[in-house]
Amino acid sequence: MQFQDVIGQEEVKSRLRKSFEEGRLAHALMLLGPEGSGCLPLALSFVQYIACPNKSTTDSCGQCATCRKIEALNFADLHFSFPYFNKSSSGENVCADWMTEFRGAVLEEAYLDVDLWRSQITKDNKVLQISVDEAGDIVRRLSLHSYEGGYKFQIIWMAEFLRVDTANKLLKIIEEPPPKTLFILIAAASEQILPTILSRVQVVRVPRLSDDTIHQSLLQQGVEEVKASGIAHYVYGDWLKANALLTNENPDEQYTLQFQDWMRKCYKKDVLGLIRWSEAMNDLKRDDKKYFLQYAMDQVRQNLIRNYTGEDLTRLNPMEKDFSDKFAPFINDLNAEEMLERLQQAYRDVDRNVNTKILFSDLSFKLHYLLTTKA
């Protein structure tokens, strides 16, 4: 992938090129940015830029054998680590077991996120992680000589999934890697990364894509002006979500229906309905519960904004706007902060594997009282 293939992020591209050309390239970088902002495409294009023997001042050539290998994710000195689940209970379980699937997923969608990756490898409630076995494999393969005679690259995609023992085993090699070895860690949430890892990397913050960047990119693909403008406003800088909406697939639609049904039941204090709703939520996979709670927090924020400023600053699709017409007046400065705190605490509790049937039932009744708080 070339820099020219990455949507926007011109300042980040310039910073990466400049650090390499001026000989100030850190041995370990962390590209830190929200999903859909392009951290993985930036990492791939930077690797290709460094390795390309015929690069210009702004980009790799895209034509040489090295560029073609990297674009096919088949470059011998480019290694990947990513979240996965164990295929077997015996022997080592490493990313190499999943490399064919990962390569196919990235070649199909370079703006891959964890949710899309998970959906491609499992339909069950299996926990993704980067295990200590993978750390040992990273140390082993980076100790070998370069196959191509240049840099060796280790990309760790979604570094939030590094287990504590995995991260600890990588500390030494990240701090003192073999010569001409570059680590590129990719993460969306720095608070989920161990401080010992953060202290050993140079953090490069990748901002959320602007509405105008997404708008212009959609127009270049032949999308109609009205549709491009609507998508750009709604997706809030997430290029993956923008692509999904091009095919009329709203990635939040299932959460929209769940959230609206939940809020109606909470307001009415439909006890039987809330118990049944909580039981249905309990049957979901843990990550689906977490994504739903993230969506719920975003909807509370959007409706609070609409209640005080009107529609212009909100990011709501037509289905959400219809619901917001009646829902927004009930979100105010007396209850919004506590609602968000309750939802955030529920998110943390889900992550700790608490009994979610009890969790959602209790949360529902608390939200009933908050929703009936008058402004």
Side-chain angles (χ1 to χ4, degrees), residues 129-133 135 162-170 194:
Q129 62 180 351
I130 304 177
S131 76
V132 71
D133 289 341
L162 287 168
R163 286 179 10 182
V164 173
D165 53 354
T166 309
N168 288 336
K169 191 167 184 176
L170 291 173
L194 285 178

Side-chain angles (χ1 to χ4, degrees), residues 15 25 34 85 126 134 142 150-151 181 223 234 243 249 280 296 321 328 338 361:
R15 178 180 174 184
L25 182 62
F85 66 86
K126 294 182 177 179
E134 176 63 15
L142 293 183
Y151 270 87
T181 298
V223 181
Y234 172 65
N243 275 331
E249 296 175 3
K321 283 182 179 178
E338 187 172 351
S361 296

